Amino acid sequence: MFDTAFEGRRTPVVGLGRSTSVVMFEPPAPDQMAQRLLQLVALARGVQPSQLVHRARCRSRVAVARQLAMYLMHVALGWQYAEVGQFFGRDRTTVSHACAVIEDMREAPGFDAEVEQLETLIEALATMPGQRHG
């Protein structure tokens, strides 16, 4: 049973014999979710997470992975273009371009399926507890 009276925190009540224990979970912090997203995209696209935030221009494979990470931060995490741009050290117009590129690439069924899988995984990660309080 979950009590959702604490601003979105899920509080499972666990019975332990005579006593009852309440464990509260907080969702991961935004920066922690962004780091998880970077690791997930890097793994899926076969690049290093550090390459995704590197300032220099790079190979097409890394550029597409970075654009995908930007897109997912905007779409799956709900970050504004300016927030995503600040995280990557880029301008918001670069993020807008990245999102447009990924939207165009989603016309290909295989790529669209990959993006859908990543979105599902990111949503699952967003609901995983970040810290425990009791």
Side-chain angles (χ1 to χ4, degrees):
M1 174 182 224
F2 291 94
D3 177 9
T4 57
F6 296 99
E7 300 178 342
R9 293 185 186 109
R10 296 163 53 109
T11 309
V13 178
V14 182
L16 301 172
R18 295 181 197 204
S19 65
T20 301
S21 175
V22 177
V23 180
M24 293 175 51
F25 298 106
E26 291 185 22
D31 282 347
Q32 186 180 19
M33 267 311 302
Q35 291 300 326
R36 289 179 181 182
L37 185 146
L38 281 184
Q39 292 172 351
L40 185 62
V41 171
L43 181 65
R45 303 301 293 179
V47 299
Q48 294 296 315
S50 61
Q51 291 177 296
L52 299 178
V53 293
H54 196 272
R55 190 70 191 117
R57 290 181 178 256
C58 50
R59 295 185 194 133
S60 175
R61 180 175 68 117
V62 176
V64 170
R66 181 185 298 124
Q67 290 170 331
L68 179 57
M70 289 178 173
Y71 172 84
L72 290 168
M73 255 185 218
H74 174 66
V75 173
L77 299 184
W79 287 23
Q80 299 294 319
Y81 287 160
E83 295 170 315
V84 176
Q86 184 176 8
F87 183 85
F88 284 91
R90 303 247 184 336
D91 188 76
R92 66 176 175 73
T93 59
T94 302
V95 178
S96 174
H97 173 74
C99 290
V101 167
I102 297 300
E103 282 292 338
D104 288 346
M105 291 177 71
R106 288 192 79 168
E107 297 293 324
F111 185 76
D112 186 54
E114 179 185 349
V115 174
E116 283 183 20
Q117 286 179 334
L118 289 169
E119 288 172 331
T120 300
L121 287 170
I122 291 163
E123 289 172 11
L125 287 173
T127 61
M128 290 177 66
Q131 300 175 5
R132 293 181 182 217
H133 300 278

